Amino acid sequence: MNFSHEKQPGKNFTGIAIVIVLHVIVAWGIINGLGKRMITKMAEAVETKIIEEVKPPPPPETPPPPPPPEMKAPPPPFIPPVEVQVQQPPPVQNTIAVATTQKPASTELQRTPPAPPAPVQNAAPVRIPAVADFSTCAKPEWPKSSLRNEETGTVTLQFLIGVDGRVVDSKVLKSSGFRDLDKAAQVGIGKCRFKPTMVDGKPEQAWMQMQYVWSLE
């Protein structure tokens, strides 16, 4: 069998003729201005309009409030002045109470003697008590028996301080409860020097009182 197809030359010429006719029509349209009209339509400028926003009219201005009325104070009432009648005292007349015919012994006026001056009160003397200077002595030593028994307490002593600052005499006013502690404090502090009692800036021999605390801390 022969599978080959025979070519039909008539159909090929028909297709070519249709293509040629279409090209002729397009060329004719270009020549007659169809293309110019299309370009003109495309080239027309687009007209734009800017619409301005219309602002509402401003509100009418509110008139300012009227000023408050001025308050004027009423005029003060008129008070007539009070007439005061002042009675003038009668003139003083020099009268002679007693008349005498005797001639005075002297024509000089007697003067009143001046009053005696008031007695001057002596001011109280300025007194500064004696003070111990512990830098001149050591602390009292613990008695061995008291330290061993852990004895503590406060003893009140009294010292007689001379004008040179030395202890003249001493005594125990209140015991600590232990005789050995009282004696040790009396002897130890008795070795210190003191600033004597001052009376009106002058040293004076006087008694002074002090306490000594025995504590194991």
Side-chain angles (χ1 to χ4, degrees), residues 85-184:
Q85 296 180 357
V86 180
Q87 296 181 356
Q88 299 291 335
V92 180
Q93 297 180 358
N94 295 327
T95 58
I96 300 175
V98 180
T100 180
T101 58
Q102 294 181 358
K103 187 177 181 181
S106 175
T107 57
E108 295 182 358
L109 297 176
Q110 295 182 357
R111 298 179 180 179
T112 304
V120 179
Q121 297 181 357
N122 295 328
V126 179
R127 186 182 183 88
I128 302 175
V131 179
D133 185 4
F134 288 102
S135 63
T136 60
C137 60
K139 292 177 62 175
E141 296 182 2
W142 277 86
K144 294 182 180 180
S145 59
S146 299
L147 187 60
R148 184 171 55 254
N149 297 329
E150 297 184 354
E151 296 174 351
T152 59
T154 301
V155 56
T156 303
L157 303 171
Q158 195 172 23
F159 295 94
L160 179 62
I161 309 302
V163 295
D164 57 351
R166 297 179 182 274
V167 176
V168 179
D169 195 4
S170 64
K171 54 186 176 181
V172 178
L173 290 181
K174 186 177 180 181
S175 174
S176 62
F178 302 97
R179 183 177 298 178
D180 292 342
L181 294 180
D182 297 343
K183 187 65 176 178

Side-chain angles (χ1 to χ4, degrees), residues 183-207:
K183 187 65 176 178
Q186 186 177 2
V187 173
I189 299 176
K191 297 178 181 179
C192 299
R193 296 291 298 271
F194 290 76
K195 294 180 180 179
T197 301
M198 303 296 290
V199 179
D200 289 339
K202 296 180 180 180
E204 184 179 279
Q205 180 174 297
W207 286 91

